[in-house]
């Protein structure tokens, strides 16, 4: 079912890569989402920021089909989640890799479960690592790589099956500063090359603004969408972007809104 | 930009000489034990008929293994232990994995497994004799039964406690239930399964030796130990105990090494 290839001459590409209507979700008596709506225009990198425990992970997991929800509708490119090709990058790469498989076999796993012939699997993985100029010895096991390399491998794994959306839940939070810079640059490069829309939860406000076309600011529970802030700075974004007036302006604006929300 | 983050270099081990000395530490205990044994044996505190010197015992061991008939007994016990173990593993691992893959199924038999696991297997020997007689088969079956419980329990436990994150990861990559089961659940349970296999072969050896003493047999280390004791052939008794201990130890080491090779990812 995931093998469905989209007809190339699609009639008018879908306007939104994610659209959520009337979403409700509670854990026991705790209401997390009550009639939550969200439309994300196509081909963007969207980052999500909100207070701890407000339900960012739950949201990304519901949209990617990992967590069931109580009521409402979620569409990806105008299709139900089950019919969409999804890539997901976990926060904790160590617990999301399959350590009994080599890095190469980890990357190839999404293709293998679909029953793709071995030769084609190899080709696809080779092409992918060449496209992004990855110089790692992928015959090694995942745990023998550094944290940043492992997270990069899990990003490749999420990309290999040609997803139409990439979900990332705090992809940098288990990495140190230097590695974060490296993985972040790589992710931006991937976004620019593939134009795959990305939906990324980020735990640091500046991080959220830096890569994003749109920043979603969430409230405390029950969680509402407080504001969608757009950040149209040109790409590639570099360390200079961090000191540009538009970045500083947008970050401050987001911070103000966040502070107001926390005071409520 | 290229992906070349360097991995931090592992610090080179310093002072190789002292490290080599450290490796010999386990021998200290052995040396002390043999020293004490020798002291007691030559001091005259204990009747020399009951306690030969270590050297006499060791040379009896070597002679009996190379020229005498001890090897036949040794071999018979090894064959029984491995037959029991294989039987238990072939049935136990799939059964455990199956039980573990359904929480409800496992909970419904958990008490039974825990009960029989807590019952000393030697207490069941008379019952097994009733059913299977005093044949060789009977000894293998009872040893297999005790090993089976340990293996089932550990395999089931391994599957039950598989990391949720890896299951989710496989699901989101499009794996169906069967693929999740064989690619993730079974692999996740392997470290625990190996613990079950290792304890399984240990208990199989224990029960084989007890059964050989209790049920009687033509050949076997258990029978040899008890026979030697009956006729006060103490050198042979100690030698047989030593070789049994060595066998148990070797099996444990063998399984630990196998475990290390197969489960290369454990603890990483
Ligand atoms: N399976 C669950 N059962 C019960 N409560 C849950 C479950 N998963 C999450 N919660 C609760 O829902 C709330 C939102 O959790 P979630 O992990 O989505 O938040 P988050 O915004 O990602 O938090 P963080 O900033 O810590 O990553 C939390 O209060 C959490 O305790
Ligand atoms: Mg979270």
């Amino acid at each position: 079912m995931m093998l469905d290839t989209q007809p190339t001459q699609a009639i008018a590409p879908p306007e939104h890569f994610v659209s959520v209507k009337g979403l409700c979700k509670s854990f026991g008596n705790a209401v997390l989402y009550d009639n939550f709506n969200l439309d994300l225009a196509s081909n963007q990198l969207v980052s999500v920021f909100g207070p701890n425990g407000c339900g960012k992970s739950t949201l990304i997991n519901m949209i990617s089909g990992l967590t069931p929800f109580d009521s409402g509708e979620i569409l990806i490119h105008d299709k139900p989640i089950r019919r969409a090709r999804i890539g997901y990058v976990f926060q904790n790469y160590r617990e999301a890799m399959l350590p009994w498989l080599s890095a190469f076999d980890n990357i190839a796993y999404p293709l293998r479960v679909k029953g793709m012939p071995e030769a084609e699997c190899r080709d696809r993985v080779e092409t992918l690592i060449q496209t992004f100029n990855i110089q790692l010895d992928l015959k090694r096991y995942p745990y023998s790589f550094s944290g940043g390399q492992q997270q990069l491998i899990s990003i490749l794994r999420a990309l290999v099956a040609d997803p139409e959306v990439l979900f990332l839940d705090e992809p940098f939070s288990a990495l140190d500063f230097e590695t974060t810079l490296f993985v972040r640059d790589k992710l931006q490069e991937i976004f620019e090359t593939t134009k795959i829309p990305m939906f990324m939860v980020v735990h640091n406000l500046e991080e959220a603004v830096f890569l994003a076309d749109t920043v979603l600011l969430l409230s405390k529970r029950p969680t509402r969408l407080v504001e969608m802030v757009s950040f149209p700075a040109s790409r590639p974004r570099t360390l200079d972007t961090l000191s540009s007036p538009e970045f500083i302006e947008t970050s401050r604006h987001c911070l103000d809104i966040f502070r107001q929300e926390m005071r409520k | 930009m290229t992906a070349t983050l360097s991995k931090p270099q592992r610090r080179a081990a310093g002072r190789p000489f002292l490290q080599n000395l450290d490796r010999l530490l386990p021998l200290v205990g052995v040396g002390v034990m043999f020293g004490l044994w020798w002291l007691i044996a030559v001091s005259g505190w204990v009747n020399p008929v009951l306690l030969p010197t270590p050297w006499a015992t060791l040379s009896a061991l070597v002679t009996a293994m190379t020229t005498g008939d001890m090897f036949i007994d040794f071999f018979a016990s090894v064959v029984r232990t491995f037959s029991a173990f294989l039987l238990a593993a072939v049935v136990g691992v799939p059964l455990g994995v199956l039980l573990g893959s359904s929480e409800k199924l496992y909970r419904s038999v958990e008490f039974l497994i825990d009960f029989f696991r807590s019952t000393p297997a030697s207490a069941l020997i008379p019952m097994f004799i009733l059913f299977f007689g005093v044949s060789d088969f009977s000894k293998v079956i009872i040893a297999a039964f005790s090993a089976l419980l340990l293996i089932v329990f550990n395999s089931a436990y391994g599957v039950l406690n598989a990391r949720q994150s890896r299951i989710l990861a496989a699901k989101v990559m499009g794996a169906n239930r069967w693929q999740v089961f064989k690619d993730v659940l079974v692999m996740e349970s392997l470290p625990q399964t190996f613990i079950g296999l290792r304890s399984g072969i240990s208990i199989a050896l224990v029960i084989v030796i007890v059964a050989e003493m209790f049920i009687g047999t033509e050949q076997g280390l258990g029978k040899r130990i008890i026979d030697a004791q009956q006729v006060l052939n103490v050198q042979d008794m100690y030698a047989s105990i030593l070789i049994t201990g060595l066998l148990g130890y070797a099996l444990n080491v063998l399984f630990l090494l196998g475990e290390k090779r197969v489960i290369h990812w454990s603890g990483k």
Side-chain angles (χ1 to χ4, degrees), chain B residues 26-261:
Chain B
L27 291 180
V28 173
V30 178
V32 169
M33 189 197 83
F34 274 95
L36 278 176
W37 178 0
W38 177 80
L39 259 179
I40 295 171
V42 297
S43 66
W45 295 329
V46 179
N47 185 343
V49 175
L50 299 183
L51 188 68
T53 61
W55 323 124
T57 307
L58 282 179
S59 66
L61 173 62
V62 172
T63 323
M65 275 303 267
T66 49
T67 59
D69 50 7
M70 189 190 271
F71 185 77
I72 298 170
D73 291 313
F74 177 82
F75 189 70
S77 295
V78 168
V79 168
R80 285 189 192 111
T81 305
F82 270 94
S83 324
F85 169 75
L86 284 179
L87 199 62
V90 165
V91 179
V93 173
L95 186 64
V97 168
L98 183 80
L99 288 179
S101 57
S102 153
E103 178 118 23
K104 282 191 184 138
L105 195 59
Y106 183 74
R107 295 284 164 241
S108 54
V109 293
E110 188 177 23
F111 175 76
L112 273 188
I113 294 179
D114 280 350
F115 177 77
F116 282 109
R117 223 159 49 87
S118 325
T119 310
S122 41
L124 299 173
I125 293 183
M127 184 191 86
F128 275 85
I129 295 180
L130 273 188
F131 281 102
F132 300 101
V134 293
S135 60
D136 228 22
F137 183 64
S138 178
K139 290 167 209 118
V140 170
I141 280 285
I142 178 156
F145 177 76
S146 341
L148 179 78
L149 291 171
L150 281 174
I151 292 173
V152 167
F153 164 78
N154 278 290
S155 295
Y157 210 73
V159 176
L160 275 177
N161 289 308
R163 251 178 265 203
Q164 210 57 37
S165 59
R166 295 202 174 117
I167 300 172
L168 275 186
K171 276 188 185 155
V172 83
M173 288 188 278
N176 59 32
R177 284 185 58 163
W178 166 243
Q179 287 165 330
V180 169
F181 177 76
K182 77 177 169 60
D183 295 341
V184 182
L185 282 178
V186 170
M187 298 307 286
E188 277 276 276
S189 74
L190 272 188
Q192 192 72 32
T193 296
F194 259 87
I195 293 177
L197 293 177
R198 192 149 47 84
S199 347
I201 195 139
S202 293
I203 196 79
L205 177 64
V206 169
I207 297 300
V208 162
I209 298 293
V210 172
E212 284 169 352
M213 288 181 176
F214 196 87
I215 305 182
T217 172
E218 293 290 305
Q219 288 127 12
L221 288 172
K223 153 107 164 124
R224 186 182 184 96
I225 293 170
I226 204 106
D227 283 357
Q229 187 247 354
Q230 299 283 311
V231 299
L232 270 188
N233 183 357
V234 284
Q235 265 186 21
D236 196 65
M237 185 186 84
Y238 285 109
S240 304
I241 293 174
L242 267 186
I243 195 75
T244 311
L246 283 174
L247 173 59
Y249 183 76
L251 287 177
N252 204 36
V253 168
L254 187 75
F255 273 68
L256 275 177
L257 288 180
E259 197 172 319
K260 237 185 183 166
R261 288 212 106 190

Side-chain angles (χ1 to χ4, degrees), chain A residues 204-218:
Chain A
N204 162 321
L205 189 54
E206 304 221 316
E207 207 72 79
V209 175
F210 180 78
L211 276 187
D213 296 306
T214 303
V215 183
L216 303 185
L217 295 169
L218 300 182

